[in-house]
Amino acid sequence: MGRVTERRRTVRVRNGAVSERADTLVGEEPLEIRVNGRPLAVTMRTPGDDFALAAGFLVSEGVIAGRAEVARVTYCAGAADDDGRNTYNVVDVRLADGVAPPAASLERNVYTTSSCGVCGKASLDAVRTTARWPLPLAGGPRLAPETLAALPDRLRAAQRVFARTGGLHAAGLFSGDGELLDAREDVGRHNAVDKLVGRALERGLLPLRDAVLLVSGRASFELAQKAVMAGVPVLAAVSAPSALAVDLAQEAGLTLVGFLRGASMNVYAGAERLVLAAPAPAPAS
């Protein structure tokens, strides 16, 4: 199996001084996800938690919603390099009896970049029709702003590989009182979330009705979709959301927080889950 990190020689220039040394870099390898033996998608990922990544991806696509719907997940023995060694870069998810396979429209043998996920599929209607939980999302934690403000530092403290490489995204699941429940790192932000969701599915925890999902970058439509499909009521990001992510959050009942930095944040949807003071009146025009 590929390694999470690898060493490479580098020439360093510091204030005019030149030196050579080995640097620690994050690993990045393709993972092909198959369902019942049929190729479904390829993503560039950091090796590790591959079974959870595949399961989380299928949750995001509305194929499965519980661990009983998966019979087994295995690496494909025939996926070998030129020397006949298993590359561990092809995973096959065997669905349980009676579970419908992905629709033909979902089967797309295309390259999926580590930054955009399955591009071009963003559709509010698709989420509405495939979500396995009632929408809009109901319930969820009531959060004090100071609870949210503490989450980025707690996630950063759990980013062990980032501390060595500086080259990974992270996603964390938190309880309503700010306890870190799980954290995953990956070269792709959408993979980090899929790994979290897949691990939760393996533990029988879906839907994640009382959880807060924090991502280390921006909040794209795809990440909002993954939160909704996992039943997560609160998504927070340290950077900006996209307009379509906000549209989905408003329609699906998802609390969406962006620019979560220190004591500052912007709440784009679902502000009723936050315990907030009355907003100051807008200045007269």
Side-chain angles (χ1 to χ4, degrees):
M1 183 185 299
R3 295 179 294 180
V4 174
T5 61
E6 299 182 20
R7 301 283 281 175
R8 294 289 188 274
R9 298 295 299 178
T10 181
V11 175
R12 303 188 70 184
V13 180
R14 299 291 186 274
N15 297 319
V18 180
S19 61
E20 291 190 10
R21 56 167 289 176
D23 200 8
T24 301
L25 304 177
V26 63
E28 183 177 22
E29 298 181 12
L31 180 70
E32 179 181 305
I33 300 172
R34 299 179 181 177
V35 177
N36 295 342
R38 299 187 62 173
L40 180 64
V42 177
T43 185
M44 296 301 296
R45 99 296 189 195
T46 301
D49 292 310
D50 291 337
F51 292 178
L53 170 57
F57 175 82
L58 294 182
V59 170
S60 298
E61 297 297 337
V63 178
I64 60 175
R67 59 183 177 183
E69 296 177 89
V70 178
R72 67 182 183 277
V73 185
T74 58
Y75 287 109
C76 293
D81 61 17
D82 293 339
D83 296 323
R85 296 171 298 191
N86 195 325
T87 62
Y88 295 99
N89 282 337
V90 182
V91 167
D92 185 32
V93 181
R94 292 285 170 170
L95 302 178
D97 292 343
V99 178
S105 61
L106 185 60
E107 295 181 7
R108 48 197 183 279
N109 302 323
V110 297
Y111 179 85
T112 301
T113 73
S114 58
S115 61
C116 77
V118 185
C119 299
K121 189 176 179 291
S123 164
L124 297 176
D125 288 339
V127 177
R128 187 187 305 112
T129 57
T130 58
R132 301 287 285 273
W133 329 113
L135 298 181
L137 297 169
R142 289 276 291 165
L143 299 163
E146 53 268 27
T147 300
L148 278 175
L151 301 189
D153 285 344
R154 291 176 184 171
L155 179 59
R156 180 64 179 271
Q159 293 179 246
R160 297 176 182 176
V161 181
F162 179 86
R164 297 165 57 196
T165 66
L168 283 173
H169 292 286
L173 279 177
F174 294 84
S175 66
D177 59 4
E179 176 189 358
L180 178 62
L181 304 175
D182 198 5
R184 295 293 99 184
E185 296 178 280
D186 197 277
V187 69
R189 59 174 60 87
H190 65 288
N191 292 334
V193 173
D194 279 341
K195 288 178 177 180
L196 279 181
V197 173
R199 284 164 58 89
L201 177 129
E202 292 168 353
R203 298 168 184 172
L205 300 179
L206 297 186
L208 293 162
R209 293 190 177 96
D210 298 314
V212 177
L213 173 61
L214 174 66
V215 294
S216 61
R218 61 188 177 87
S220 64
F221 171 86
E222 185 186 24
L223 296 187
Q225 170 189 327
K226 292 180 184 297
V228 171
M229 297 300 287
V232 177
V234 181
L235 170 62
V238 300
S239 191
S242 69
L244 194 60
V246 174
D247 291 343
L248 174 58
Q250 291 173 341
E251 179 172 317
L254 173 71
T255 296
L256 179 58
V257 176
F259 293 106
L260 180 58
R261 302 170 184 175
S264 300
M265 65 195 74
N266 292 348
V267 184
Y268 294 90
E272 65 275 5
R273 289 194 179 95
L274 274 65
V275 182
L276 300 173
S285 56

